[in-house]
Amino acid sequence: MTAFSRLDIHRRNRGERTLVTLAGDIGPTTTPLLRAALEQCLLDGVTEIDTT
């Protein structure tokens, strides 16, 4: 039986700044999700990204 990693990504926008909150595991299976979320921030014109 294989355990699947889970990563919840929540984003709160404040103009050109956004807060990204992560909950869960960061690893090989979830890194692409995190990368996609951060790339989307850049595509949306965010200039500052804070994480918690």
Side-chain angles (χ1 to χ4, degrees), residues 2-51:
T2 303
F4 292 97
S5 297
R6 180 183 171 130
L7 179 64
D8 292 322
I9 303 170
H10 301 278
R11 179 176 159 185
R12 181 175 299 179
N13 296 324
R14 294 185 178 160
E16 294 180 355
R17 185 177 192 143
T18 194
L19 174 65
V20 177
T21 303
L22 309 174
D25 298 322
I26 297 175
T29 60
T30 58
T31 301
L33 297 172
L34 177 56
R35 181 184 177 111
L38 296 175
E39 286 177 347
Q40 188 60 54
C41 288
L42 297 175
L43 290 171
D44 291 344
V46 171
T47 59
E48 293 184 48
I49 300 172
D50 297 318
T51 60

